[in-house]
Amino acid sequence: MGALFTWLILDTPQDTEQLIECFVPKGEKAKQIFLPDGSEVWVNAESILIYPNTFKGDTRTLFLNGEANFKVSRDKKRPFIVKTATLDIEALGTTFNVESYSNSTQTIATLEEGKIKVSTKDSIPHETILSPNEQFIYDSNTHSRQINIVDARSLSNWKDGQLYFKNASFEKLIKTIERKYNVTILYDQEKYKNNKLTVKFDHDETIDEILPILEGILQNMKYKKNNDIIFIN
C-alpha cells in the first residue's frame, strides 16, 4: 500500500483554506510531494505532514509529526514555518531536515543549505540561528538544547532508502529500523543504553541482511526473528 493522502475539510467559511494530510505508514518508502508554493518535501515512514492546499496570509505554515526533508522555494515576504510539538523551524529559502516523532523525547533540526531559525516552545522561548551542517537537538524531558556539527547531506539519505548512523544511540537505530521495515524489535534497553554506533545500510538491504551486520558489530548480541517480531538478547 502506498502513502495515504486525506483531504481534511474544515467546517469554516468557504474562503478558508483546506488542509491536506500526508501520512506515510511504517514500512513504506519515503514519499515526495510538492507544496502549493513549489517547495519540495520528502516525508519519511511513520510520519504525518499537514499543509494547506494554498498558502494564504503572511506565512507558509505546516505541521509535522515524524520526519521530513524540506527544499524551500524562496519568498522573502512569507516565511516558511514548520511546526512540531516542541519546536518551530522558520526558513526563507533553504534545505533542511526535521525529525519530531511522538515516541521520542528529542526533536532534531538539521540544516543543509541556507539558514533557519529554530524556536523552542518552553515557558521562556529560545531562538537559535543555524548555519549549514549544524544540527539542533532539543529534549522535551530535560528542556536541554544541543548543537552538533554534522554531514547534513549524508543524514538526509533516508529519502533514497539509505540508513546512515553516526555515533547514534542503539535506541535511535532500533526505532529507525522498525519504521523502515515495519517490524517490532524487543531488547534490553539497560544493556544497550551506552552503545553508540556508526554504520550505513544501503537502500536495497533487507532486514535479514541488516541483523547479522549488527550482530557482528556488537559483542554478545544475539537475535531471533519470528515473522515481524525480533528479539535481541
Side-chain angles (χ1 to χ4, degrees):
M1 180 177 64
L4 305 179
F5 289 83
T6 305
W7 282 92
L8 303 179
I9 309 301
L10 301 180
D11 186 16
T12 50
Q14 291 183 355
D15 61 349
T16 300
E17 64 195 13
Q18 296 174 332
L19 296 181
I20 301 173
E21 177 186 282
C22 173
F23 168 55
V24 183
K26 287 177 67 175
E28 293 286 342
K29 293 181 179 180
K31 181 68 178 180
Q32 181 189 35
I33 62 174
F34 290 92
L35 301 177
D37 64 342
S39 295
E40 176 187 358
V41 186
W42 285 86
V43 184
N44 205 353
E46 200 179 13
S47 302
I48 300 174
L49 181 72
I50 299 175
Y51 60 96
N53 66 323
T54 183
F55 288 116
K56 297 181 179 180
D58 298 330
T59 66
R60 295 170 287 167
T61 301
L62 306 85
F63 303 88
L64 174 67
N65 183 343
E67 184 171 19
N69 186 274
F70 301 87
K71 189 171 185 178
V72 179
S73 296
R74 292 187 179 276
D75 186 344
K76 293 183 178 180
K77 295 182 179 179
R78 292 189 302 169
F80 186 96
I81 301 173
V82 180
K83 289 184 172 290
T84 73
T86 58
L87 297 178
D88 288 347
I89 299 95
E90 178 181 334
L92 291 176
T94 189
T95 303
F96 63 101
N97 197 84
V98 180
E99 181 179 340
S100 181
Y101 285 101
S102 57
N103 61 355
S104 173
T105 63
Q106 290 189 337
T107 299
I108 304 171
T110 307
L111 180 62
E112 188 173 326
E113 297 177 3
K115 285 191 176 182
I116 56 175
K117 179 172 71 176
V118 181
S119 304
T120 66
K121 297 182 179 180
D122 295 327
S123 56
I124 303 178
H126 181 273
E127 294 183 352
T128 302
I129 303 295
L130 295 188
S131 297
N133 291 318
E134 287 187 336
Q135 181 182 76
F136 182 93
I137 302 176
Y138 174 79
D139 192 294
S140 59
N141 277 354
T142 62
H143 301 284
S144 63
R145 304 180 299 271
Q146 179 181 343
I147 296 179
N148 297 327
I149 303 299
V150 299
D151 181 352
R153 184 163 296 180
S154 295
L155 293 177
S156 67
N157 282 345
W158 57 263
K159 296 182 297 181
D160 302 317
Q162 185 183 91
L163 301 182
Y164 175 72
F165 304 92
K166 185 173 182 180
N167 200 33
S169 68
F170 190 74
E171 179 185 17
K172 180 175 179 60
L173 182 144
I174 291 301
K175 287 181 177 179
T176 303
I177 291 174
E178 287 182 323
R179 284 193 294 269
K180 178 176 174 60
Y181 296 101
N182 194 20
V183 296
T184 298
I185 301 177
L186 305 176
Y187 68 100
D188 185 344
Q189 295 185 8
E190 186 67 23
K191 177 179 178 179
Y192 293 98
K193 69 178 183 180
N194 294 322
N195 285 96
K196 299 292 184 180
L197 296 166
T198 298
V199 62
K200 180 175 71 174
F201 300 115
D202 289 332
H203 72 280
D204 57 350
E205 289 189 272
T206 67
I207 186 67
D208 292 317
E209 292 172 322
I210 283 178
L211 291 171
I213 294 173
L214 291 178
E215 197 175 49
I217 294 174
L218 295 169
Q219 293 183 347
N220 301 321
M221 173 187 152
K222 299 294 180 183
Y223 72 90
K224 292 183 179 179
K225 185 170 176 287
N226 183 9
N227 296 322
D228 59 352
I229 299 178
I230 298 164
F231 302 89
I232 294 178
N233 70 352

